[in-house]
Each structure stands twice: as structure tokens, then as C-alpha cells.
């Protein structure tokens, strides 16, 4: 492999972390300053809702991105990297479950129907497939007695399946922001611009995480 | 390269075309049956608007997807495949420009502000970068006297840049559908379900086109 690859890939993981941290900061400014705070046990319905975007990006998407980059960012043996990859994805799932429960709690409190929007279809569909992907990876690559040949054949589908799921999760995040902004009838204004920059930062996080994985096979 | 790759990649291009055609059919049913038709010169503003989603998916995204798959679907020499790849992307750009003009015309007619939503930011940003990517590809791979080494170094960035742009275009499409559905206050109902299935078909088109390109480097 071209030695320049390691340099390019590590630069891209730095960029990905930069966009991820910018997105987390913008998310916190949005939810704490403009939307009244984040609290799952609040009496105010909005604060319960806010747990949802916070955990789905700063928890689910951010951690699964870190898991995908672990093979480049964690300076350790391959088996340790694999374990951290699995662990970060497990944390992403647990946090994601709490984040999804938060929006169902909000809907119950406000008597809003569940699962009617494109956002909810993409989001829950992606999350269920993500759970299956985790189980598949855990079984084939960590605990099973699968032969080296089986693992070699399964790897491209696991890697590309994971990349597809990351993009589907990014689509879920973007449609979620779009739904919220349209519902609140925001147009030009500070909050609207903040949401748009948040959406762009999330998109660029997805693109750069994916690039850090994809470039490995090209350069 | 493993010979099973060709089989897998061609199966995935068939799947991609299937999802693409399903999306085109659902889009036509939505715009013709539920939204009153498609006409850029109509007196009815809605018909002018409908040109936008129609051309942006059935023109722009569908053609750029075909361009990305041309190296696998067009049974011809490499130079012919390259030319068709360039031509399909050029058609995508021309059709995309008409599609973007349609929504500006609709906004002018209805006195709606331009460029305030996340959808418009992602969409126009992606389209401008797509234009630059086309110019880059045309210059480096088709008309220039660039050395073989320069092309070899530029190829991974061109391929992965194109993949990232496809996903960004899919995000633009999903946020566009989400904005329209939320604005129309659709909840459970036939049109709402139709839009959601359309969104899923577009998403699966993007995932399978990308997979047909990405698998080439893995299997």
C-alpha cells in the first residue's frame, strides 16, 4: 500500500473529529440556548424532545463514527482495535435506544402520532438494521470459530454495510432537522441558520468518516 | 481480483436500476395523481414546483447514478465507457439546472424567500461541488495531457468525491421530501405513505449505486 495513504487517512480522521465536535457544539447551543434545555424527566415536553436529537447525534452517530475510525485512531494491537470498534458501536446502540424512547415519550405526552414521517421511517429502519449489523459483526468477527476464509468473504459486506448505514443515519439526522425546522416555520433568522450549519456539520462528519474508511482501499 | 466480484457488482447494478425505476414510478404517481401534474409554463404555481422534484431525481440523481455505474453496465471499451460516464454526468448537470430554475420560478411566483432551508443549502452546495467535480474529471481524465502517474493519484479523490456527492444529493432529496411533507402537514394517509416509500426507494438507489462502485475494491 502507498505510504502516503496513512498520512491522508490520518488527516481525514482529524477533519472528521473537527466536524463532529463542531456539530456537537452547534447542537448544544441550539438545544440549550434556543430550545430550553435537555431533560428526559422534565414536565416541559420540549425538554424531553430535545433529548432525542442530542442523543441520536452526539451519542449514536458520533460514537458509530468513532467506531469506524478506531482502526486508524486507536494506537493499539488489531485485537484491541476490534474490541474498541465493537464497544463504541455497542455504546451507540444503548444511547440510541434511550434517544428513540425520548421521542416516543414526547409524542405520548403531546398526543402526537408515532412513525408517520419519512424521518421516522428512515431512522427506525436504519437503527434496526444497525442492530442486525452489530450482531453479525460480533458473531462472525469476535466470538465465532468462523474460518479465516469465511471472515475474508464477510469483511467487504460488513465494511460496506456499515458505510451504507452511516449514510442512512446521516439522512435520518438531516430529515429530522428539516422536519423540526419546517414544523417550527423557521425561515431566515439566527435559529434557522444555526440549524442549517448544524446540518452541514453533521453531513461533513459523515462524508469525512466515510472517506477515512474508503480511501484505505484506493490510495 | 476475485472473479465472484463481477457477479456481485452486476447483481448490485441490477438492484440499483430496480430501485431507481421504482422511485421514478412513485415520483410520477405522486406528482401526476396527487399534485396536479408537471409543467414549467403553467399558470398554476404547484405544477411549476413539481418540475423541481421530478427533474432533480429522475434527471439529476438518476443520470449521475447511471454515470457511476457505466463502467459496469456499458459493454464497451474503456474509452467509450469514460465518454459515456462524462456524458451522463453532463446531462445530469443540464437537467439539474432546469430543475433548480423551476423552484426559483415557483418561489418568485408565490413570493417565497429563496435559500433559507437546510434542503436548499445542501442541495445548491452539492450541485455547485458537482459542477467543479465534473470540470476536474473532464480536465484531468479526458482532455489533458496529464501523466499516467497524475491520473493514478487523482483517481481515488475523483471516485470517492463522486461517491460523497451522490450521498449528499440523496440527503438533499430526502430533506426536500421531508420539507414538502411537513409543510403540507401530511400525517397518516395515502399520500404520506407514498412519499415515504418514494424516499426509501431514492435512499436504496443511492446505497446500491454506491455499493456497486465500492465493492469493486473489496471483493
Amino acid at each position: 500500500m502507498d505510504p502516503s495513504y496513512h498520512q491522508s487517512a490520518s488527516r481525514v480522521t482529524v477533519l472528521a473529529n473537527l466536524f463532529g465536535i463542531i456539530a456537537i457544539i452547534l447542537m448544544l447551543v441550539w438545544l440549550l440556548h434556543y430550545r430550553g434545555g435537555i431533560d428526559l424527566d422534565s414536565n416541559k415536553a420540549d425538554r424531553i424532545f430535545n433529548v432525542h436529537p442530542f442523543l441520536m447525534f452526539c451519542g449514536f452517530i458520533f460514537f458509530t463514527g468513532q467506531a469506524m475510525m478506531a482502526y486508524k485512531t486507536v494506537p493499539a494491537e488489531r485485537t484491541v482495535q476490534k474490541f474498541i470498534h465493537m464497544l463504541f458501536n455497542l455504546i451507540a446502540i444503548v444511547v440510541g435506544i434511550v434517544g428513540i424512547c425520548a421521542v416516543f415519550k414526547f409524542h405520548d405526552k403531546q398526543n402526537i402520532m408515532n412513525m408517520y414521517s419519512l424521518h421516522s421511517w428512515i431512522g427506525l429502519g436504519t437503527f434496526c438494521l444497525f442492530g442486525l449489523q452489530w450482531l453479525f459483526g460480533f458473531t462472525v468477527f469476535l466470538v465465532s470459530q468462523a474460518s479465516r476464509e469465511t471472515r475474508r468473504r464477510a469483511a467487504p459486506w460488513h465494511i460496506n454495510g456499515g458505510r451504507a448505514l452511516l449514510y442512512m443515519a446521516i439522512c435520518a439526522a438531516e430529515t429530522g432537522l428539516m422536519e423540526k425546522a419546517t414544523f417550527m416555520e423557521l425561515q431566515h433568522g439566527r435559529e434557522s441558520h444555526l440549524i442549517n450549519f448544524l446540518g452541514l456539520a453533521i453531513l461533513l462528519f459523515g462524508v469525512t468518516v466515510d472517506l477515512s474508511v474508503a480511501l484505505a482501499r484506493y490510495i
Side-chain angles (χ1 to χ4, degrees), chain A residues 13-209:
Chain A
T13 57
V14 171
L15 258 186
N17 279 318
L18 185 71
F19 288 127
I21 289 166
I22 290 173
I24 290 176
I25 292 169
L26 292 175
M27 179 74 86
L28 286 172
V29 172
W30 179 44
L31 298 178
L32 299 178
H33 181 69
Y34 287 94
R35 294 279 113 223
I38 302 165
D39 184 359
L40 193 55
D41 292 318
S42 175
N43 288 321
K44 293 185 179 170
D46 281 347
R47 288 192 183 177
I48 299 172
F49 172 83
N50 293 345
V51 175
H52 177 68
F54 176 69
L55 291 187
M56 297 321 281
F57 178 74
C58 305
F60 179 61
I61 295 180
F62 188 75
F63 270 95
T64 194
Q66 295 301 332
M68 287 171 76
M69 295 191 293
Y71 294 101
K72 288 171 194 71
T73 55
V74 178
E77 280 177 29
R78 181 83 181 169
T79 46
V80 177
Q81 289 177 328
K82 274 174 80 171
F83 182 79
I84 290 174
H85 175 78
M86 179 279 289
L87 189 68
F88 275 5
N89 278 321
L90 184 62
I91 294 172
I93 289 176
V94 173
V95 175
I97 290 171
V98 180
I100 291 171
C101 288
V103 79
F104 282 120
K105 187 174 175 184
F106 167 74
H107 282 178
D108 283 349
K109 213 173 169 71
Q110 301 286 87
N111 278 322
I112 299 171
M113 274 186 294
N114 290 313
M115 300 302 302
Y116 66 83
S117 73
L118 178 59
H119 165 67
S120 63
W121 286 32
I122 295 177
L124 205 64
T126 303
F127 197 77
C128 293
L129 290 173
F130 189 91
L132 291 176
Q133 163 91 344
W134 187 88
L135 274 178
F136 173 81
F138 188 76
T139 312
V140 173
F141 299 106
L142 267 184
V143 299
S144 84
Q145 306 297 318
S147 68
R148 185 175 283 266
E149 176 60 18
T150 307
R151 293 178 186 209
R152 196 189 65 79
R153 285 189 163 273
W157 298 97
H158 180 71
I159 295 169
N160 285 301
R163 288 181 37 246
L165 285 168
L166 175 72
Y167 270 116
M168 289 164 69
I170 299 290
C171 276
E174 303 295 338
T175 50
L177 289 174
M178 193 73 246
E179 185 178 15
K180 189 71 179 172
T182 312
F183 186 77
M184 294 192 297
E185 296 181 8
L186 296 177
Q187 292 199 349
H188 280 294
R190 282 196 180 179
E191 188 175 354
S192 170
H193 289 161
L194 180 71
I195 292 175
N196 292 1
F197 280 117
L198 170 59
L200 291 185
I202 291 174
L203 189 62
L204 290 171
F205 176 73
V207 165
T208 44
V209 167

Side-chain angles (χ1 to χ4, degrees), chain A residues 1-10 215-219:
Chain A
M1 192 177 288
D2 192 324
S4 72
Y5 150 64
H6 283 292
Q7 237 182 348
S8 297
S10 69
L215 278 177
R217 301 284 161 160
Y218 286 84
I219 297 185

